[in-house]
């Protein structure tokens, strides 16, 4: 059966990476369209008129936006190697933690710690540490958040495994201390070393340059207010 | 089979009310515990240590938090009167719109309540952009879910709260002339037996007037 599957992404978007990982895990073939967000293609604007963002997955001409929504769609459409558990309660827990990752962890670490400095950064750090502790506790007795193998929550939180070291280098401070968060640090390593994940990280030097520029611009804008 | 279903909620929280709608739509018996959010119960803090918020659903002793997560759990556990469509693409669309409501419309509506008069214009424009998007999504449909109430309609209950906000502050946001579809949808929802039970418009209005009505005096 000829399926048309396209993924609109950028070279660096961690949200788009989730989709790359998921499709690789499921062994699904697809076409990649790289977007330049400063010059969005008419296709992207047509397929995601509401948010005008990546990633967008287009399956047989029908577009889906929002990475966690796309992940669930992928899981329901291609049933091999399931990302979500079968049991409704376990599924609810997975959805809860993925949401926590985006709503709280990402927000406090990226918008709070990484893009700020001084007192604001200190306050965000306290919050971030609380959030990371919840993740640390959630990993007890498990290799991955999904259990024995990578699952929905691992893909949702996977950005930690790559981006934390980038943020730490650019901002010049430690965010995930192996002594404070041994399980989380171990998970980050385990996830990053997994074959599919390892092959799909964006180039480190490019990421450093990009996020250095982002941080500099943000701090300059804040200082000039 | 005796199932223990408990809902920790608060009458003025749209997120909590969503769960009541879903449980009632499916005819599920449950015990309701009204939380005083200024004095949260040890149970609530025990069952939702991460967010310490309502709603929390307790099923056979196991807690589920976050309203949209709870709705999906309810739909997967009790299969009668499905809330989400069966088709994966339609399901994805429903999840997309619920997310839009919570991540775009709700924060904008909250900001309006907490802002001063001069800031209102920009915020109202923002909210109306989102409402325009929703209006065109609704199109000719009876409900966001199509012929019958679904996931997105339940999530869109926050629109009632927007109406209370606009009346309290004397603002024109969701007006009939600009948003005829949403206006009609709103009436249809308030006519629905279950939805009617799960929103207390007069009580909300009275409560909002006390809490936020004073702000209009300082305009």
């Amino acid at each position: 059966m000829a399926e048309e599957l396209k993924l609109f992404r950028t070279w660096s978007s961690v949200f788009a990476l989730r989709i790359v990982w998921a499709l690789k895990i499921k062994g699904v073939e697809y076409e990649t369209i790289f977007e330049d967000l400063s010059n969005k293609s008419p296709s992207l604007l047509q397929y995601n008129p509401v948010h005008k963002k990546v990633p967008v997955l287009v399956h047989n001409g029908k577009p889906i936006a929002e990475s966690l929504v796309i992940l669930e769609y992928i899981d329901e459409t291609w049933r091999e190697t399931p990302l979500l558990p079968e049991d409704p309660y376990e599924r609810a827990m997975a959805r809860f933690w993925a949401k926590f990752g985006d709503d709280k962890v990402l927000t406090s670490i990226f918008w709070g710690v990484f893009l700020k400095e001084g007192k604001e950064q200190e306050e965000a750090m306290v919050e971030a540490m609380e959030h990371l502790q919840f993740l640390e506790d959630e990993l007890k007795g498990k290799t991955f958040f999904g259990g024995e193998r990578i699952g929905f929550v691992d893909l949702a939180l996977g950005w930690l495994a790559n981006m934390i070291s980038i943020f730490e280098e650019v901002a010049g401070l430690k965010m995930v201390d192996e002594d404070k968060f041994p399980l989380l640090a171990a998970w980050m390593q385990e996830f990053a070393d997994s074959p599919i994940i390892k092959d799909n990280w964006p180039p480190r030097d490019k990421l450093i340059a990009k996020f250095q520029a982002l941080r500099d611009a943000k701090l300059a804008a804040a200082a000039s207010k | 089979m005796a199932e223990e279903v408990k809902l920790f909620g608060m009458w003025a929280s749209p997120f909590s009310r969503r769960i009541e709608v879903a449980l009632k739509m499916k005819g599920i018996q449950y015990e309701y515990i009204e939380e005083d959010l200024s004095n949260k119960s040890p149970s609530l803090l025990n069952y939702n240590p991460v967010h310490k918020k309502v709603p929390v659903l307790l099923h056979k002793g196991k807690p589920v938090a976050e309203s949209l997560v709870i709705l999906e759990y309810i739909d997967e556990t009790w299969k009668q009167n499905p809330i989400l469509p069966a088709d994966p693409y339609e399901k994805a669309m429903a999840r997309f719109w619920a997310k839009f409501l919570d991540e775009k419309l709700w924060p904008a509506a909250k900001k309006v309540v907490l802002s001063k008069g001069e800031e209102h214009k920009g915020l109202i424009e923002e909210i109306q952009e989102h409402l325009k998007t929703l209006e065109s999504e609704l199109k000719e449909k009876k409900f966001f879910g199509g012929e019958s109430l679904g996931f997105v309609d339940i999530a869109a209950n926050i629109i009632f709260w927007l109406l209370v906000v606009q009346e309290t502050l004397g603002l024109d946001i969701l007006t009939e002339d600009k948003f005829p579809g949403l206006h009609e949808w709103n009436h249809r929802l308030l006519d629905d037996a279950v939805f009617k039970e799960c929103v207390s418009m007069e009580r909300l209005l009275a409560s909002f007037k006390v809490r936020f009505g004073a702000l209009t005096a300082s305009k």
Side-chain angles (χ1 to χ4, degrees):
Chain A
M1 176 173 58
E3 298 234 38
E4 191 201 59
L5 194 61
K6 294 185 196 190
L7 174 63
F8 288 77
R9 60 176 288 209
T10 58
W11 70 271
S12 62
S13 162
V14 295
F15 302 106
L17 264 184
R18 295 170 174 173
I19 314 308
V20 172
W21 295 331
L23 291 172
K24 276 258 150 37
I25 286 171
K26 301 235 178 207
V28 177
E29 298 284 310
Y30 65 100
E31 182 195 338
T32 299
I33 293 112
F34 281 99
E35 284 286 327
D36 170 3
L37 296 182
S38 64
N39 186 20
K40 293 172 186 177
S41 72
S43 292
L44 179 65
L45 299 176
Q46 176 205 329
Y47 286 134
N48 190 2
V50 175
H51 300 297
K52 306 176 176 57
K53 287 179 168 181
V54 295
V56 179
L57 187 75
V58 185
H59 186 208
N60 294 332
K62 287 153 89 168
I64 304 137
E66 296 297 288
S67 60
L68 296 182
V69 176
I70 300 171
L71 284 184
E72 294 227 37
Y73 175 79
I74 288 172
D75 212 33
E76 288 162 13
T77 304
W78 293 277
R79 305 299 203 112
E80 54 286 301
T81 323
L83 302 172
L84 276 164
E86 275 213 34
D87 172 69
Y89 187 75
E90 296 307 316
R91 291 163 76 83
M93 292 305 98
R95 289 174 178 136
F96 176 88
W97 288 113
K99 201 174 191 298
F100 177 75
D102 279 359
D103 292 350
K104 298 288 178 186
V105 183
L106 187 67
T107 304
S108 61
I109 287 189
F110 182 66
W111 296 98
V113 178
F114 179 70
L115 288 180
K116 298 244 156 82
E117 56 187 349
K119 188 149 203 313
E120 282 186 310
Q121 187 185 60
E122 280 171 31
E123 288 169 357
M125 193 60 136
V126 171
E127 232 191 288
M129 294 300 108
E130 285 171 13
H131 298 151
L132 292 177
Q133 189 60 52
F134 282 120
L135 295 183
E136 178 78 11
D137 295 342
E138 187 52 26
L139 275 172
K140 269 198 199 94
K142 296 196 280 198
T143 310
F144 296 105
F145 288 98
E148 283 309 298
R149 59 177 180 86
I150 288 175
F152 187 74
V153 181
D154 301 281
L155 296 187
L157 292 171
W159 62 271
L160 285 163
N162 186 29
M163 295 311 298
I164 285 292
S165 81
I166 309 278
F167 295 156
E168 286 177 344
E169 185 173 324
V170 171
L173 68 141
K174 195 93 181 121
M175 293 176 200
V176 179
D177 188 340
E178 305 85 78
D179 296 324
K180 278 209 200 96
F181 305 109
L183 297 178
L184 196 56
W187 169 80
M188 281 162 62
Q189 195 62 60
E190 194 72 46
F191 183 84
D193 286 344
S194 307
I196 282 167
I197 311 302
K198 197 164 53 174
D199 295 335
N200 286 288
W201 287 132
R204 187 183 172 82
D205 52 348
K206 264 184 99 176
L207 284 173
I208 296 274
K210 178 199 163 94
F211 282 93
Q212 183 76 65
L214 202 65
R215 184 162 201 263
D216 291 345
K218 220 29 171 134
L219 295 180
S224 65
K225 272 213 208 116
Chain B
M1 174 172 60
E3 297 234 29
E4 189 202 67
V5 182
K6 289 192 191 176
L7 175 62
F8 292 81
M10 209 277 278
W11 71 272
S13 158
F15 307 103
S16 171
R17 294 301 208 150
R18 286 171 177 175
I19 313 308
E20 292 185 71
V21 170
L23 291 170
K24 287 189 204 292
M25 273 174 76
K26 292 190 181 254
I28 300 162
Q29 298 290 318
Y30 64 100
E31 182 194 338
Y32 178 74
I33 295 119
E34 178 74 24
E35 282 286 328
D36 172 3
L37 297 182
S38 64
N39 185 21
K40 293 172 184 176
S41 73
S43 291
L44 179 65
L45 301 177
N46 177 43
Y47 290 132
N48 191 2
V50 175
H51 301 296
K52 306 176 177 54
K53 286 179 167 180
V54 293
V56 178
L57 185 80
L58 199 67
H59 183 212
K60 295 183 190 165
K62 289 165 44 167
V64 186
E66 295 297 284
S67 64
L68 298 182
V69 175
I70 301 172
L71 288 180
E72 294 226 33
Y73 174 78
I74 289 172
D75 212 35
E76 286 170 9
T77 305
W78 293 277
K79 310 280 196 156
Q80 67 276 30
N81 293 356
I83 293 167
L84 278 160
D87 172 69
Y89 187 75
E90 296 309 317
K91 220 187 262 197
M93 293 304 100
R95 287 176 177 138
F96 175 89
W97 288 111
K99 218 170 185 284
F100 176 82
L101 285 157
D102 278 1
E103 291 175 10
K104 295 289 176 189
L105 185 64
W106 177 252
K110 262 208 322 193
K111 265 194 266 180
V112 143
V113 171
L114 301 170
S115 67
K116 306 264 191 330
E118 326 85 60
E119 297 165 323
H120 279 168
K121 187 164 181 290
L123 288 171
I124 291 171
E125 276 168 15
E126 201 193 316
I127 297 175
Q128 288 184 324
E129 273 310 302
H130 300 322
L131 290 174
K132 246 184 256 164
T133 304
L134 290 165
E135 177 84 7
S136 72
E137 173 56 24
L138 190 58
K139 272 182 294 236
E140 305 288 298
K141 292 188 290 192
K142 218 171 141 190
F143 299 107
F144 285 102
E147 273 306 298
S148 50
L149 287 167
F151 191 71
V152 181
D153 301 282
I154 299 175
N157 74 341
I158 58 173
I159 291 178
F160 299 148
W161 271 253
L162 178 62
L163 294 173
V164 172
V165 163
Q166 76 180 18
E167 193 174 322
T168 303
L169 301 179
L171 299 170
D172 281 331
I173 310 177
L174 201 171
T175 54
E176 190 173 350
D177 59 316
K178 280 209 178 91
F179 307 102
L182 281 176
H183 205 83
E184 271 207 46
W185 167 88
N186 182 55
H187 281 299
R188 246 175 250 130
L189 238 71
L190 287 173
D191 258 345
D192 178 83
V194 168
F195 266 83
K196 241 196 309 227
E197 266 187 80
C198 300
V199 65
S200 322
M201 293 295 266
E202 291 80 32
R203 199 176 164 194
L204 277 173
L205 214 42
S207 155
F208 270 55
K209 283 204 165 107
V210 166
R211 286 166 67 200
F212 306 114
L215 295 177
T216 61
S218 62
K219 259 202 274 209

